[in-house]
Amino acid sequence: NTLIEGYCRKGNVKEALTLFNAMSRQGLRPDVITCNALITGHCKAKQFEEAKRLLKRMSSMGLAPDLVTFNKLVNGFSEQGMLDYAFQVRDEMVEKGFVPNAVTYTALIRALCKKGRTQEALQLLKEGTAEDGLMPDCVMYTILIHAHCKKGKTEEAMCLYDDMVERGLVPDIVTYNALINGFSKKGQIDKVKEIFNEMLKRNLVADRFTYTTLIDGLCKNGKLLEALGLLDDLRQKGLMLDVVVYNTLIDGLCKNEEMEKAENLQNLMRKDGLLPDSATYNPLIAGYCKKGNVQQALSLLSEAKERNIVPNARSYNCLINGLCSKGNTREAKKLFDEMLSRDLIPT
RNA sequence: GACAUCGGUGUCCAUAAU
């Protein structure tokens, strides 16, 4: 079960099913836990019908689906944006006598939020509280806060925050990160600082999400030097450095056409043992093209390809644009064909 | 009998550049 679960988590249902079949051959009966894991696997692999079929097959194997089974389905469908399926499963579990719990509601609320349907999400939370004895918790509030922030509705997000605190719930680092992200994307840096201080008051320690969020916020508000300063703090602490932190800064620098600094950071990240990924290459390629340094952009492209990383369609567009404006239409056409062969869709 | 399976936050892109 542990192995099957591992493969399923990675979205490798094939391998999981091989193990599943091997189990039977060795006379080991799959149990509910095995099936629950496979449901996750199918959902991750977007095999929604398979997931539903497995639920039906469980009964014929003499296994009774439990609350986790249903929750995994609700969650799996929600994660993939399959709202209708998710609510269908909710109805089905209710029919079977299960009471949707915090996990069920959280999954559904998140699914609605992901589609921007925050009002319905709030409504569902109310419903659950009234009908199923649901106790709204920190996670649910955080999802709602996050969703409102993403829509730019920071005021509403703040009301939700106040609401949860009034109810005696304790916001955690995730809640604060969501708020910080919302306010900094809106450019309300003073509000960000206020929230950050409140976070510190609660003895919460900034994690890599907090730092990345702060760095991104500073970059997107043109405060590149401050953002670089935060990176220095992080490096001195020697912890919490990952590709995303570097990518964030590299993007900020590239968008401001500070290619030398972006180049330095790229070297620094390699020094820290981190390898660029597509989110590193894309802004760099765009930045160099914009500056007219197509050569440099092209060499990044070939490096990415060597490492089996495919830059996105926009990177190709930038390169094609750059080559054409230098009159090198032949190379541009080559890149155009190349992007087609890589299943990238021209716009 | 114990243990193992379910929910939230960050970067490019997606909402974009020419």
Side-chain angles (χ1 to χ4, degrees):
Chain A
N1 281 356
T2 308
L3 285 168
I4 288 175
E5 192 214 323
Y7 281 117
C8 286
R9 266 198 198 157
K10 292 247 169 200
N12 190 349
V13 225
K14 240 188 198 170
E15 204 56 44
L17 284 171
T18 309
L19 282 168
F20 181 80
N21 294 328
M23 268 178 90
S24 318
R25 275 203 304 277
Q26 299 186 14
L28 291 170
R29 283 196 183 288
D31 60 10
V32 178
I33 291 176
T34 325
C35 294
N36 288 354
L38 282 171
I39 284 175
T40 300
H42 282 307
C43 289
K44 282 244 163 86
K46 302 191 195 293
Q47 300 171 352
F48 307 117
E49 302 305 327
E50 291 291 333
K52 289 210 262 185
R53 214 171 299 152
L54 184 55
L55 175 67
K56 296 207 177 88
R57 264 181 63 199
M58 284 176 75
S59 334
S60 59
M61 290 192 287
L63 298 172
D66 61 7
L67 186 59
V68 174
T69 314
F70 287 107
N71 281 345
K72 285 218 184 218
L73 280 164
V74 173
N75 194 46
F77 292 148
S78 295
E79 235 167 32
Q80 306 288 345
M82 310 285 294
L83 257 183
D84 295 345
Y85 275 20
F87 277 96
Q88 273 167 29
V89 174
R90 194 268 316 255
D91 295 342
E92 199 176 330
M93 71 190 276
V94 171
E95 263 173 42
K96 295 237 161 78
F98 289 97
V99 181
N101 68 359
V103 176
T104 326
Y105 274 99
T106 305
L108 293 170
I109 288 169
R110 186 156 78 111
L112 286 167
C113 284
K114 269 190 160 179
K115 302 247 173 195
R117 292 157 64 172
T118 43
Q119 284 313 310
E120 288 159 85
L122 280 166
Q123 185 56 34
L124 187 62
L125 184 76
K126 268 189 203 159
E127 262 175 47
T129 313
E131 293 167 20
D132 288 329
L134 179 71
M135 304 282 276
D137 64 15
C138 176
V139 174
M140 294 175 218
Y141 268 101
T142 302
I143 291 170
L144 288 164
I145 288 170
H146 174 243
H148 280 88
C149 284
K150 285 273 172 196
K151 284 180 125 186
K153 307 208 167 201
T154 43
E155 301 241 336
E156 287 85 342
M158 218 47 214
C159 288
L160 283 162
Y161 170 82
D162 292 336
D163 198 34
M164 75 181 279
V165 172
E166 249 173 52
R167 281 173 182 257
L169 294 171
V170 183
D172 63 11
I173 187 73
V174 181
T175 318
Y176 284 106
N177 288 345
L179 282 168
I180 290 170
N181 192 26
F183 281 100
S184 57
K185 293 274 185 326
K186 270 198 125 184
Q188 304 186 30
I189 302 298
D190 39 335
K191 193 74 187 163
V192 169
K193 287 184 177 150
E194 196 184 310
I195 294 166
F196 186 72
N197 286 329
E198 208 162 318
M199 182 188 111
L200 296 179
K201 264 192 231 154
R202 288 194 186 261
N203 290 320
L204 290 169
V205 180
D207 64 8
R208 76 174 73 197
F209 284 76
T210 322
Y211 273 100
T212 311
T213 305
L214 288 170
I215 288 172
D216 190 47
L218 290 168
C219 285
K220 292 199 163 76
N221 286 287
K223 310 200 178 212
L224 292 171
L225 289 179
E226 278 187 63
L228 286 165
L230 281 182
L231 177 71
D232 284 339
D233 291 353
L234 276 176
R235 293 191 85 243
Q236 273 171 18
K237 289 183 189 162
L239 289 170
M240 302 203 289
L241 284 168
D242 67 6
V243 186
V244 181
V245 177
Y246 279 104
N247 288 351
T248 307
L249 272 161
I250 287 172
D251 179 59
L253 292 165
C254 289
K255 289 223 163 86
N256 286 279
E257 301 185 36
E258 301 256 28
M259 299 316 291
E260 324 72 27
K261 286 182 185 165
E263 193 65 37
N264 290 339
L265 270 193
Q266 204 198 145
N267 293 327
L268 200 59
M269 81 185 271
R270 291 177 207 263
K271 229 185 249 171
D272 284 334
L274 299 165
L275 288 173
D277 64 12
S278 62
T280 324
Y281 289 116
N282 289 329
L284 283 167
I285 289 172
Y288 278 121
C289 288
K290 205 169 176 189
K291 279 267 186 176
N293 192 346
V294 191
Q295 273 319 308
Q296 193 62 33
L298 281 170
S299 85
L300 283 163
L301 174 69
S302 54
E303 182 193 306
K305 286 190 290 191
E306 267 170 36
R307 300 187 44 232
N308 280 323
I309 293 168
V310 185
N312 62 18
R314 177 161 168 205
S315 289
Y316 276 92
N317 289 347
C318 292
L319 285 161
I320 290 169
N321 186 39
L323 284 166
C324 287
S325 57
K326 292 214 186 285
N328 195 344
T329 45
R330 192 169 309 168
E331 281 302 314
K333 177 62 167 62
K334 267 194 202 166
L335 281 184
F336 180 73
D337 294 335
E338 181 180 313
M339 77 182 280
L340 291 181
S341 73
R342 289 173 187 271
D343 291 328
L344 293 171
I345 301 163
T347 48

